[in-house]
Amino acid sequence: MIENFLAEKAVEAVRQLFDVQIDPSLLSVQRTIPAYRNQGDFSLVVFPLLKISRKSPEDTATLLGNALVAAMPEAIGFGVVKGYLNIRIDPAYWLAFLNDSGKDPEYGISKPGNEAPFVVEYSSPNTNKPLHLGHIRNNLLGFSVSKLMKASGKNVVMVNLVNDRGIHICKSMLAWKLFGNNETPQSSGKKGDKLVGDYYVLFDRKFKEETALLMAEGKTAEEAAAASALMQQAREMLVRWEARDAETVALWETMNGWVYNGFDVTYRRLGVNFDKIYYESQTYLLGKAIVEEGLEKGILYRKADGSVWIDLTADGLDEKLLLRADGTSVYMTQDLGTAQLRADDYHPQSLVYVVGNEQNYHFDVLRLVLRKLGRVWAENIYHLSYGMVELPEGKMKSREGTVVDADDLMDEMIATARAMTEELGKIDDFDSEEALQLYRMVGLGALKYFILKVDPRKNITFNPRESIDFNGNTGPFIQYTYARIRSVLRKAGDAVNDADPGALHQNELDLLILLYQFPQTVKQAAREFSPSVMANYLFEVAREFNQFYHELSILKEEDAGKRNFRLLLSALTSQVIKNGMDLLGIEVPEKM
């Protein structure tokens, strides 16, 4: 990249000018702000050099500018504004870049290498409820991060851990057994995951009714919960499941099967997939074995009631339960086993967990427990912690049935896209099948972009209608820009050959330099585990293209060299948008 080359040459120039070898991090090269682009394409801040040069910012920048122009054939001039050195790059450099990259369908995308992989876990649903809006953020974030890492040249394995066992699963099973009257997805007409989720909500309602009666008899909330016959039956069911009781396991397999069928439908609609799926029911026993190992080594201890703990107070944390008194596992138990299994399966560079920020403490404990157990690879556990998705009316609660169902939300997004698209008259020449595909692309594109454009660490308040806007920083705006470009290229007809536009217009240059930065943006987004870097870059590309489109003629340009140049520039813009949106898991329509 020319920015890196500029920085390297600047370090060498400082050495020659002032006989000082500086740390390259002292020099920041960035795109010149619009107000000063008449002076140069890239800016270099010289304030950190003033103690070395013992000169004014202007004199220091002038000395450095002259040295860079002398040392770099690509640098043809410079301007100075206070402590900013603005370097002008030869237009021939940009033209060569466009002619080299303008027809490359894989522009900006690197091939994965053969090094040890990054294992990225995302989704991690529970089989007691359908996927909801929070899961959508998790899946979109994990899937996009994985694609970005692959496109930056990393070897990536995408995995899912299904939480298919535990007390929460037994609550759904027990409610169905007590109140279900043998209801099935077929008899009810419900998706299997929704049917099971209804019984999870029902368990909570029945439990609250029971504890309310006990509290009316004079018990405290804690005493009522402890005395709940319903909760005791759920705990007994979990014990029977871990003892492999045939009837309990058969019910578990049946109800989980309903859920998996439902999950598969949602995943396909959302456009995400996995290389491997792990199941907690297959990893918790390994976790138990690791707990036994810890007991033998004296790292863990057993309390009088039989429960197993680790004391992390000396490490600034607290005591952590690893095995219940009745011998059943907790989340940490199975996470120990799953981490060990993945380390054995892949010997990865890193284990990346895409999990909400309410689990920050959990991963601090997981990493520390594994280190104490001698797993040196525990240092490579990375928790990609992200903020919650909320609605304008507040947080969602699964057990109370107040979540936004993922399937329902996708239906709503597609319906909203249909209404707004028809209102704007964007489907006048579409047949019915093309129109349906467009509604789906726009609706899901709006949803995905709205979520991914936000820094993962921040909370999101999701507003469906706000996300579907054909103006502003939205998925549909970028999709529409792509479709506009494809329309221009279809009208142009013939293949575009290498072009020479003569002097570049500022709008052409601004767009060209922005496209040049696509490979660097892919790497930055992957390095920071942040699809928002890519999303907001694509918005800038779309906005820059529309300024170029409104300022300059393309198809009506009479000068063949300029016309070909602008068509090639448009083609590369469309390729960058398509490649970049694909890394976000978003489709773009050929017409709109």
Side-chain angles (χ1 to χ4, degrees):
M1 297 298 291
I2 194 69
E3 301 99 306
N4 298 334
F5 191 41
L6 265 173
E8 292 171 8
K9 289 295 185 182
V11 170
E12 177 60 21
V14 168
R15 188 188 67 78
Q16 292 183 2
L17 287 168
F18 309 115
D19 197 27
V20 174
Q21 186 67 46
I22 64 168
D23 187 328
S25 64
L26 278 178
L27 296 177
S28 172
V29 177
Q30 55 199 0
R31 183 76 170 100
T32 304
I33 62 173
Y36 299 123
R37 285 182 185 169
N38 63 326
Q39 296 195 11
D41 303 318
F42 291 95
S43 294
L44 194 151
V45 184
V46 300
F47 290 112
L49 302 178
L50 299 186
K51 288 184 179 179
I52 297 171
S53 70
R54 300 184 181 276
K55 298 181 183 296
S56 69
E58 292 81 0
D59 288 346
T60 302
T62 300
L63 280 170
L64 188 56
N66 283 320
L68 287 173
V69 169
M72 290 180 60
E74 298 86 355
I76 59 172
F78 67 91
V80 175
V81 180
K82 297 182 179 178
Y84 292 86
L85 169 62
N86 303 305
I87 300 290
R88 172 69 68 199
I89 303 301
D90 189 341
Y93 179 86
W94 303 120
L95 186 58
F97 152 68
L98 180 61
N99 284 327
D100 288 344
S101 304
K103 300 175 184 177
D104 180 6
E106 297 298 316
Y107 170 63
I109 308 299
S110 301
K111 299 296 183 184
N114 295 318
E115 76 279 6
F118 288 76
V119 176
V120 182
E121 177 198 296
Y122 57 95
S123 196
S124 306
N126 297 325
T127 58
N128 63 327
K129 55 192 175 187
L131 303 177
H132 56 62
L133 177 54
H135 290 116
I136 285 180
R137 187 177 198 187
N138 181 295
N139 279 277
L140 296 181
L141 183 58
F143 185 65
S144 181
V145 163
S146 298
K147 295 196 75 169
L148 285 161
M149 292 177 70
K150 287 181 180 180
S152 73
K154 303 298 183 185
N155 190 7
V156 178
V157 179
M158 304 182 293
V159 302
N160 184 2
L161 171 66
V162 178
N163 298 295
D164 64 339
R165 59 156 301 282
I167 189 66
H168 50 296
I169 309 301
C170 290
K171 290 176 182 179
S172 295
M173 292 165 57
L174 180 62
W176 183 88
K177 186 174 182 179
L178 295 175
F179 313 112
N181 296 316
N182 294 314
E183 184 179 25
T184 67
Q186 290 74 26
S187 68
S188 66
K190 295 180 181 179
K191 273 179 84 227
D193 52 336
K194 296 185 192 298
L195 178 65
V196 173
D198 287 345
Y199 283 101
Y200 181 63
V201 173
L202 179 61
F203 177 94
D204 186 66
R205 179 162 62 81
K206 295 289 187 180
F207 173 69
K208 286 179 177 177
E209 291 172 358
E210 184 183 24
T211 54
L213 289 174
L214 292 170
M215 290 170 67
E217 296 172 359
K219 287 184 168 58
T220 65
E222 291 77 12
E223 289 169 341
S228 164
L230 197 62
M231 187 63 76
Q232 182 58 37
Q233 289 181 75
R235 294 192 187 100
E236 290 170 355
M237 180 175 276
L238 178 59
V239 172
R240 290 198 301 275
W241 182 90
E242 293 208 5
R244 308 309 292 168
D245 172 70
E247 181 183 348
T248 304
V249 170
L251 176 60
W252 170 78
E253 288 175 341
T254 296
M255 294 183 70
N256 273 355
W258 296 343
V259 173
Y260 297 146
N261 290 335
F263 283 172
D264 287 345
V265 171
T266 306
Y267 285 138
R268 282 196 299 272
R269 290 190 72 193
L270 197 56
V272 302
N273 54 59
F274 314 93
D275 297 315
K276 184 176 177 63
I277 297 179
Y278 290 87
Y279 297 89
E280 184 181 343
S281 58
Q282 298 171 355
T283 63
Y284 82 101
L285 290 176
L286 178 55
K288 279 188 166 186
I290 292 172
V291 169
E292 290 299 323
E293 174 194 331
L295 282 170
E296 292 173 6
K297 292 180 176 178
I299 297 168
L300 313 181
Y301 66 94
R302 194 184 300 276
K303 287 189 176 181
D305 65 357
S307 59
V308 178
W309 298 71
I310 186 169
D311 186 356
L312 302 175
T313 53
D315 300 281
L317 300 177
D318 58 10
E319 293 182 294
K320 182 65 180 178
L321 174 69
L322 296 179
L323 215 58
R324 296 188 185 97
D326 61 8
T328 58
S329 305
V330 295
Y331 271 124
M332 186 61 68
T333 320
Q334 63 89 9
D335 271 351
L336 292 170
T338 305
Q340 181 68 63
L341 188 57
R342 289 178 189 160
D344 294 340
D345 284 348
Y346 298 108
H347 305 288
Q349 287 191 54
S350 179
L351 293 172
V352 180
Y353 292 83
V354 182
V355 181
N357 57 17
E358 78 278 11
Q359 294 295 326
N360 288 350
Y361 174 78
H362 176 88
F363 286 98
D364 288 342
V365 172
L366 176 64
R367 197 180 296 109
L368 185 55
V369 170
L370 286 167
R371 279 208 305 260
K372 289 181 178 293
L373 290 169
R375 273 55 172 187
V376 293
W377 45 262
E379 297 294 340
N380 298 323
I381 288 176
Y382 178 78
H383 175 204
L384 203 176
S385 172
Y386 64 88
M388 295 296 98
V389 183
E390 299 177 0
L391 300 170
E393 55 268 27
K395 293 183 178 180
M396 303 177 290
K397 297 180 181 178
S398 295
R399 68 185 62 183
E400 295 179 10
T402 61
V403 299
V404 176
D405 179 87
D407 295 306
D408 293 344
L409 178 58
M410 285 189 279
D411 288 340
E412 179 184 347
M413 294 299 298
I414 293 169
T416 304
R418 177 174 191 155
M420 295 185 71
T421 302
E422 291 177 349
E423 181 182 325
L424 294 171
K426 295 185 179 296
I427 57 165
D428 293 342
D429 60 342
F430 282 54
D431 62 35
S432 58
E433 182 59 32
E434 287 175 331
L436 291 174
Q437 286 298 323
L438 181 64
Y439 305 146
R440 182 187 61 80
M441 283 189 195
V442 172
L444 296 185
L447 169 65
K448 294 177 182 184
Y449 187 85
F450 191 94
I451 287 176
L452 292 175
K453 74 177 182 179
V454 179
D455 185 304
R457 295 166 294 185
K458 296 181 179 179
N459 289 350
I460 297 175
T461 299
F462 182 71
N463 185 319
R465 190 167 182 86
E466 182 183 318
S467 69
I468 301 182
D469 186 343
F470 290 92
N471 297 294
N473 189 4
T474 66
F477 171 68
I478 298 171
Q479 289 173 317
Y480 180 66
T481 301
Y482 175 82
R484 165 180 275 176
I485 299 171
R486 300 307 297 171
S487 176
V488 169
L489 295 175
R490 282 193 298 272
K491 291 175 183 176
D494 297 335
V496 179
N497 298 314
D498 291 355
D500 186 354
L504 290 178
H505 189 281
Q506 189 63 50
N507 288 108
E508 294 171 324
L509 184 60
D510 288 344
L511 178 57
L512 190 51
I513 293 176
L514 191 57
L515 299 175
Y516 176 83
Q517 295 172 322
F518 178 58
Q520 183 178 344
T521 304
V522 172
K523 289 181 170 58
Q524 180 188 350
R527 185 172 62 250
E528 297 178 8
F529 298 102
S530 181
S532 65
V533 171
M534 177 56 64
N536 289 288
Y537 165 81
L538 292 173
F539 170 61
E540 289 300 315
V541 169
R543 186 168 62 177
E544 199 69 59
F545 176 83
N546 282 286
Q547 290 175 353
F548 154 77
Y549 179 82
H550 288 296
E551 186 70 24
L552 302 171
S553 175
I554 300 176
L555 295 177
K556 293 182 180 180
E557 173 57 55
E558 295 181 358
D559 184 300
K562 289 182 180 296
R563 181 178 185 273
N564 282 347
F565 171 81
R566 290 171 188 170
L567 286 170
L568 194 56
L569 183 58
S570 298
L572 182 58
T573 304
S574 71
Q575 195 63 56
V576 164
I577 290 176
K578 184 174 184 177
N579 289 353
M581 291 289 266
D582 179 68
L583 296 178
L584 301 178
I586 299 175
E587 296 175 81
V588 286
E590 289 296 313
K591 63 178 184 175
M592 194 167 175

